[in-house]
Amino acid sequence: MKHLTPQQAWAWLQAEREQRAARGEEPPLFVDVRMEIESLYVGRPPGVENIPWYEYPDLTPDPVRFAQAVEREAGQKNRPVLLICRSGKRTQDAGKALEAAGFTEVAHVLHGFEGELNEDFKRSSLNGWRFDGLPWEQM
């Protein structure tokens, strides 16, 4: 699995979209693994597909179910997949599950959408997608 900073992930996503479009291939699948309400309420990058690693009320990951859901959306296991979550922790486990299921090109966004906690226990103040000023939207 590739470990990309938010800036690297955005640059990689844009370059892959261009290159794959020129070859007539589907772009990378950008997956937000946070719970749906978390993604909608807090914000998310544009064009991301929400496929939760776990969901309320169970809050228990099901790696097989997750990999199957990503495969349905991706259409094939050799399509590049970029994962994002809140802080970059869930995506590591989700990425391992995808690789175990046979996905061949998996990357995740280090520090996720909101980044690490600062000394005051607040996010989006040290690192992360939003902190880096990358495009995002809020529903």
Side-chain angles (χ1 to χ4, degrees), residues 75-132:
Q76 54 190 6
K77 291 182 178 181
N78 65 348
R79 183 176 175 189
V81 177
L82 176 62
L83 304 171
I84 192 167
C85 66
R86 180 187 63 196
S87 63
K89 306 274 188 279
R90 279 176 272 187
T91 54
Q92 291 189 50
D93 291 335
K96 289 175 188 173
L98 293 180
E99 289 178 330
F103 282 82
T104 58
E105 192 172 347
V106 179
H108 87 107
V109 180
L110 291 167
H111 312 300
F113 185 75
E114 293 184 82
E116 299 170 314
L117 290 169
N118 68 14
E119 65 276 357
D120 295 321
F121 302 100
K122 295 181 180 175
R123 297 190 187 276
S124 298
S125 62
L126 297 175
N127 49 33
W129 188 276
R130 192 164 52 182
F131 177 81
D132 284 350

Side-chain angles (χ1 to χ4, degrees), residues 12-114:
W12 175 84
L13 194 58
Q14 300 311 304
E16 281 292 312
R17 284 177 176 160
E18 281 185 31
Q19 292 169 11
R20 294 178 72 81
R23 296 190 304 259
E25 298 173 355
E26 289 192 80
L29 179 61
F30 193 10
V31 177
D32 185 340
V33 307
R34 295 176 294 167
M35 294 181 290
E36 183 178 27
I37 192 70
E38 189 179 2
S39 177
L40 293 173
Y41 180 73
V42 176
R44 60 187 181 188
V48 74
E49 294 292 330
N50 182 242
I51 304 174
W53 175 238
Y54 55 73
E55 191 60 87
Y56 188 81
D58 298 333
L59 303 177
T60 303
D62 182 339
V64 173
R65 180 210 49 85
F66 175 76
Q68 290 170 343
V70 173
E71 185 175 4
R72 278 192 302 277
E73 190 65 38
Q76 54 190 6
K77 291 182 178 181
N78 65 348
R79 183 176 175 189
V81 177
L82 176 62
L83 304 171
I84 192 167
C85 66
R86 180 187 63 196
S87 63
K89 306 274 188 279
R90 279 176 272 187
T91 54
Q92 291 189 50
D93 291 335
K96 289 175 188 173
L98 293 180
E99 289 178 330
F103 282 82
T104 58
E105 192 172 347
V106 179
H108 87 107
V109 180
L110 291 167
H111 312 300
F113 185 75
E114 293 184 82

